[in-house]
Amino acid sequence: MKLGPFSFDAPVFLAPMAGVTDTAYRIIAHDMGCPLCYAEMVSSQGIHFKNERTLSMLQSEKAERPLAMQIFAATPEMAAEAAAYVEALGTADILDFNMGCPAPKIVKNGEGSALMRDPERAMAILSAIRKAVKMPFTVKMRIGWDESSINVVEMAKRAEAAGVDAITVHGRTREQFYRGHADWEKIGEVRRAVSIPVIANGDVRTYDDLDRIREVTGCEAVMVGRAAQGNPWIFRQLTHYLRTGERLPGPTMQERAEVIVRHLDLLLRYKGDYVGPREMRKHATWYTRGIVHGAILRDLFNKATTREDFLEILEEYFDYHEPKA
């Protein structure tokens, strides 16, 4: 798959997820072989008002490039301003626009998947962004608002006409949120309706899922979201599989422990001694899903407040001992 100056031979991308795909996790996913990470969505209003937390979300490191930065907005003016700011900042290589977030607080402002119900405003926004930036520009959308208003094919055609370089389709409606099954057939209809690349998103968790979604949709690339939470190894596995056909095993307990410590250390670096360990709690519970004593571990991790707390838990339950410096 080609996107602007970039070419991806094993295009399995990390989906943007609020509160998950920050710099720390993106670096880990990139190290595991993810060729393109999408950052968690950033508010155009936050950029306009120079909100400190918002602007901090636009920072990146060389270790995670190439990187796609995602913005959301309700008006063409705000979207164009934010897009131009991101391009000028130079911390991302690709700009993505969010038309898929189902969160009520986003939708009530006319942002995210609310735009699937307002095609004219959505296309005005996409056109404004295209005029504002020269960098590769993609859009992520759902298949529609609900089952009675599935309009993704028409929206995709109009997005292509507006100058978008690629489209990601999450195969659910807004009303589904993350329930039920992604409609891969509908994603395939989008792929056949446009000439730009389409990235298929939804329910890719295994090697067989990867085979099936590529077969059904015909898409050039696949995006992995919730299946990557606590499982960055999925990128090593799926990209290796696309290149060689070989199915690698999952991580060992030692590998899990090592990545938990690395993730924690990155959060400490970027978010500090107070926020870092507290954000690590949810990641640690994801990293230990499905293992023996999982419930006990979750309880312990959710009480951890320091790096030492995490190391003690890992030493007891993983027999992990940090290498000497």
Side-chain angles (χ1 to χ4, degrees):
M1 173 186 167
K2 292 183 184 268
L3 185 53
F6 304 102
S7 182
F8 305 101
D9 69 328
V12 180
F13 303 147
L14 171 64
M17 291 179 282
V20 179
T21 57
D22 56 10
T23 294
Y25 186 76
R26 297 192 306 256
I27 289 174
I28 289 172
H30 191 273
D31 287 350
M32 289 286 182
C34 181
L36 178 63
C37 297
Y38 279 71
E40 53 188 331
M41 65 181 188
V42 179
S43 165
S44 295
Q45 282 201 32
I47 294 174
H48 175 77
F49 291 108
K50 302 299 185 286
N51 177 273
E52 185 177 344
R53 181 177 180 277
T54 299
L55 297 185
S56 71
M57 294 170 68
L58 297 175
Q59 299 306 308
S60 68
E61 298 285 350
K62 289 182 179 179
E64 55 177 318
R65 308 288 288 269
L67 172 67
M69 197 69 72
Q70 186 186 73
I71 61 172
F72 64 97
T75 68
E77 296 77 17
M78 197 69 78
E81 178 188 338
Y85 184 91
V86 170
E87 182 172 59
L89 193 61
T91 56
D93 307 283
I94 295 162
L95 182 77
D96 187 56
F97 184 70
N98 183 299
M99 285 174 46
C101 179
K105 67 179 182 179
I106 300 296
V107 168
K108 74 177 183 180
N109 293 327
E111 300 164 324
S113 56
L115 289 166
M116 298 301 292
R117 293 197 293 183
D118 195 342
E120 296 306 319
R121 183 162 57 93
M123 295 310 136
I125 289 172
L126 297 183
S127 296
I129 293 174
R130 181 71 286 171
K131 291 174 183 175
V133 300
K134 295 180 180 178
M135 67 193 302
F137 166 41
T138 64
V139 62
K140 189 169 190 282
M141 61 179 69
R142 290 193 168 223
I143 60 173
W145 178 261
D146 56 26
E147 287 298 320
S148 65
S149 58
I150 294 177
N151 59 345
V152 67
V153 173
E154 182 59 30
M155 294 287 270
K157 288 179 180 178
R158 296 186 66 176
E160 179 180 24
V164 168
D165 295 306
I167 301 169
T168 302
V169 180
H170 181 170
R172 288 181 172 84
T173 65
R174 187 271 173 175
E175 290 297 281
Q176 280 183 278
F177 279 77
Y178 300 98
R179 299 184 296 270
H181 298 286
D183 188 338
W184 293 350
E185 296 283 355
K186 189 59 65 176
I187 300 174
E189 289 181 28
V190 174
R191 178 65 197 91
R192 292 186 290 275
V194 299
S195 59
I196 57 177
V198 175
I199 304 166
N201 177 220
D203 295 345
V204 177
R205 303 181 183 90
T206 67
Y207 294 111
D208 290 340
D209 292 337
L210 179 63
D211 282 340
R212 183 68 179 147
I213 197 170
R214 295 177 76 223
E215 176 187 346
V216 171
T217 68
C219 285
E220 291 84 349
V222 170
M223 183 174 280
V224 178
R226 287 172 297 156
Q229 292 176 353
N231 183 26
W233 297 276
I234 195 170
F235 298 106
R236 181 178 68 186
Q237 293 170 317
L238 297 186
T239 56
H240 181 80
Y241 177 66
L242 286 179
R243 293 184 179 112
T244 69
E246 180 186 9
R247 299 189 176 203
L248 297 174
T252 64
M253 295 294 276
Q254 178 70 13
E255 286 177 311
R256 287 179 188 268
E258 289 172 355
V259 171
I260 288 172
V261 174
R262 173 157 168 71
H263 197 157
L264 173 60
D265 284 342
L266 287 167
L267 285 172
L268 288 168
R269 180 193 306 174
Y270 296 115
K271 302 193 177 182
D273 292 339
Y274 183 83
V275 174
R278 285 159 178 80
E279 288 207 1
M280 188 62 210
R281 292 170 178 172
K282 64 186 176 189
H283 293 286
T285 58
W286 289 332
Y287 278 120
T288 53
R289 277 184 302 204
I291 69 172
V292 176
H293 303 306
I296 297 173
L297 279 167
R298 283 191 293 274
D299 183 59
L300 291 171
F301 281 136
N302 284 328
K303 295 174 182 175
T305 60
T306 66
R307 186 179 194 273
E308 289 68 32
D309 289 342
F310 282 94
L311 288 176
E312 287 179 11
I313 296 167
L314 293 173
E315 286 174 4
E316 182 171 356
Y317 288 91
F318 286 74
D319 193 27
Y320 172 78
H321 298 283
E322 189 171 22
K324 300 294 182 183

